[in-house]
Amino acid sequence: MRAIQKVVIIGGGTMGADLAALMLQRRKAVVVKEVSKELAERVKNNLYRRMDGWKQGGRISDSDVQTMKELLAVTDNYQDLQDEGLLVIEAVPENIELKQRIFAELEEKLPQDAIFSSNTSSLPITLLAANMKDTSRLIGLHFFNPPTKMPLVEVISSRYSSDEVVESVERFAKKTLQKTTIRVKDCPGFLVNRLLLPYLNEAAMLLTETDITPEAIDAESKKFGWPMGPFVLMDFLGIDVCAEVAKFMHVSYGERAEPAPLLNTLVKLNRFGAKTGNVGFYGGEPLLNILNREFPHRNQKTITAKDSFNRMMMGMVNEAFHCLGEGVSSAQDIDTGSMLGIGFPMTYDGVLHWAENEKGLAEIADALLTLSTSCGSRFLPVEYLVNCVIERKKIFEKTEENEW
């Protein structure tokens, strides 16, 4: 087990600055590496302002501010990153060539005991290590936005990652950062995004295939217990981000991950959601006008909000069984990821518990088969689920403790 003495954040953008803020809140020494002195100074001033805000809000004292300032450093060069016991977290934009170049530079410039990690939300860690000589030092460490508040971290190991590195970082995330961690096998989209995308993508599909409205689906989702509806969520995340992830997942997983055409249409119209003045699925020109103009020959089949929501949930459940069958995560980690990563209602104990206990696996498989006939092969029930039904296998075996 390696001791982590200091954290280095590569990139001081929104996520990088929030990660630095998290380290300061946990009283951990942190260095933010930027590409220029000007940007590095901007990051420092931004974090100083955040400290002042915490103090004014009564969350920390003057002495806490002084301690945090002593723990924080910013730099534009690798010479300032020569300490022992470094954990490096790369937090630059989702550009695979950029990330590959950065990890090759880190390996060349930093001490040999430094651990490298990427905060990528979807790019396979094995690909990011393509230009490294020692790929055992690199793992994925996917925090959720904002990391100062979101409790979950995906710890992603590639087939090259050493057990010592994985265990050291996982322990740091749990003990020092006080996060809940889930183990995830390296794959495009990892776990949480693979669960979320079918749900969100199907919501957008419904708008061009039926007469359902965003308001009706969002209301049905809230009724189920989600913290917000899928369209409110996509407006918050950024429709451009959702479209880019959907495109990447389509390349990775083929026909079952075909993107909803409405996502790219809204991107072309510069309707990104919150980042474009709250104009996305909501706001600005009425969405119905856009649908009538951009999709004049669309199918406007009548569907209830309940049936619409069921389609979205079935896509998520089927993907959860894909992940379980592929060994991406354990059943319990899949459920933990669904609750803490995307807000699946905790009253159901996670997506797999809901599928098994609230619906029944046979009913899930039948519903997917019916949807595959009417909506396409993306709903074909995954083999692992079918085998569970045939063998009457339980995902979660009851024990005396959880029965009590």
Side-chain angles (χ1 to χ4, degrees):
M1 196 79 71
R2 300 191 197 181
I4 294 171
Q5 306 295 341
K6 182 181 289 188
V7 177
V8 175
I9 311 293
I10 306 296
T14 300
M15 178 58 81
D18 280 351
L19 286 170
L22 171 64
M23 302 307 156
L24 295 173
Q25 289 177 343
R26 299 295 182 259
R27 304 300 188 269
K28 194 67 182 178
V30 60
V31 185
V32 181
K33 161 73 170 60
E34 262 294 359
V35 295
S36 69
K37 286 184 172 61
E38 179 184 11
L39 287 176
E41 192 67 20
R42 185 181 302 173
V43 172
K44 183 176 76 172
N45 292 335
N46 172 37
L47 288 167
Y48 277 14
R49 283 193 294 271
R50 292 182 74 164
M51 294 176 206
D52 290 338
W54 295 336
K55 184 182 74 172
Q56 290 169 11
R59 295 170 59 187
I60 60 175
S61 65
D62 286 333
S63 63
D64 290 327
V65 172
Q66 185 59 39
T67 298
M68 288 181 177
K69 288 182 177 180
E70 291 171 358
L71 289 171
L72 173 65
V74 296
T75 187
D76 67 336
N77 62 75
Y78 288 116
Q79 285 72 36
D80 293 333
L81 307 177
Q82 299 303 314
D83 303 89
E84 293 183 354
L86 294 180
L87 168 62
V88 181
I89 306 175
E90 167 270 309
V92 305
E94 292 284 84
N95 180 297
I96 192 165
E97 290 82 10
L98 173 61
K99 291 176 186 285
Q100 287 173 338
R101 185 173 72 249
I102 285 173
F103 283 117
E105 289 176 357
L106 290 169
E107 186 178 39
E108 179 184 352
K109 305 286 188 182
L110 268 58
Q112 290 188 354
D113 72 332
I115 295 174
F116 304 137
S117 68
S118 175
N119 186 55
T120 178
S121 61
S122 57
L123 298 175
I125 304 305
T126 303
L127 292 182
L128 300 187
N131 297 331
M132 294 179 65
K133 296 184 177 106
D134 182 5
T135 54
S136 69
R137 302 166 67 186
L138 178 63
I139 68 167
L141 196 60
H142 180 210
F143 293 82
F144 293 80
N145 191 26
T148 49
K149 295 180 179 178
M150 292 293 282
L152 186 71
V153 177
E154 288 182 305
V155 180
I156 303 113
S157 57
S158 77
R159 64 178 181 271
Y160 304 120
S161 305
S162 80
D163 291 342
E164 181 190 25
V165 165
V166 173
E167 290 165 6
S168 298
V169 174
E170 184 176 47
R171 178 180 175 83
F172 175 76
K174 285 181 176 178
K175 300 295 184 182
T176 302
L177 302 184
Q178 300 170 30
K179 297 295 184 182
T180 298
T181 64
I182 55 174
R183 290 278 189 105
V184 181
K185 187 173 76 173
D186 193 23
C187 63
F190 310 130
L191 173 66
V192 171
N193 277 335
R194 283 185 61 175
L195 297 179
L196 180 61
L197 187 66
Y199 174 80
L200 297 181
N201 192 60
E202 198 61 36
M205 283 280 197
L206 282 157
L207 297 185
T208 56
E209 294 183 358
T210 73
D211 63 354
I212 199 70
T213 65
E215 292 84 356
I217 290 178
D218 278 349
E220 191 70 21
S221 301
K222 290 276 286 181
K223 182 179 175 182
F224 179 76
W226 286 98
M228 62 181 74
F231 298 106
V232 172
L233 178 58
M234 283 189 275
D235 276 358
F236 171 75
L237 295 173
I239 296 171
D240 55 330
V241 174
C242 295
E244 191 61 32
V245 173
K247 180 181 176 182
F248 175 74
M249 299 291 266
H250 186 211
V251 171
S252 302
Y253 295 108
E255 187 177 358
R256 81 168 194 264
E258 181 179 358
L262 182 56
L263 295 176
N264 283 330
T265 297
L266 294 180
V267 169
K268 290 176 184 176
L269 295 173
N270 292 314
R271 295 174 67 103
F272 298 164
K275 66 178 73 173
T276 51
N278 291 321
V279 177
F281 286 102
Y282 294 108
E285 181 184 7
L287 187 64
L288 182 59
N289 292 356
I290 294 171
L291 290 169
N292 288 336
R293 183 177 65 248
E294 301 291 335
F295 300 91
H297 305 297
R298 76 186 192 281
N299 185 346
Q300 297 185 57
K301 176 184 175 182
T302 297
I303 189 172
T304 66
K306 184 176 181 179
D307 286 343
S308 298
F309 181 70
N310 184 62
R311 268 177 60 170
M312 294 153 51
M313 291 293 288
M314 289 303 102
M316 175 185 288
V317 169
N318 209 30
E319 193 62 35
F321 277 95
H322 273 290
C323 292
L324 190 59
E326 294 166 18
V328 172
S329 287
S330 68
Q332 188 54 61
D333 276 356
I334 289 172
D335 274 358
T336 299
S338 71
M339 290 186 290
L340 299 185
I342 56 179
F344 197 95
M346 289 196 177
T347 185
Y348 297 117
D349 293 325
V351 60
L352 291 176
H353 271 98
W354 175 79
E356 184 166 81
N357 298 330
E358 299 294 326
K359 302 292 286 184
L361 299 189
E363 184 177 333
I364 293 283
D366 286 344
L368 284 165
L369 199 56
T370 299
L371 284 168
S372 71
T373 301
S374 59
C375 301
S377 61
R378 65 183 180 275
F379 284 107
L380 278 172
V382 64
E383 183 179 1
Y384 190 93
L385 169 59
V386 173
N387 287 339
C388 286
V389 173
I390 293 172
E391 298 168 9
R392 298 186 179 182
K393 177 183 176 182
K394 288 286 189 181
I395 304 303
F396 299 99
E397 295 293 342
K398 288 186 177 180
T399 65
E400 291 183 6
E401 180 180 354
N402 61 37
E403 282 178 344
W404 171 257

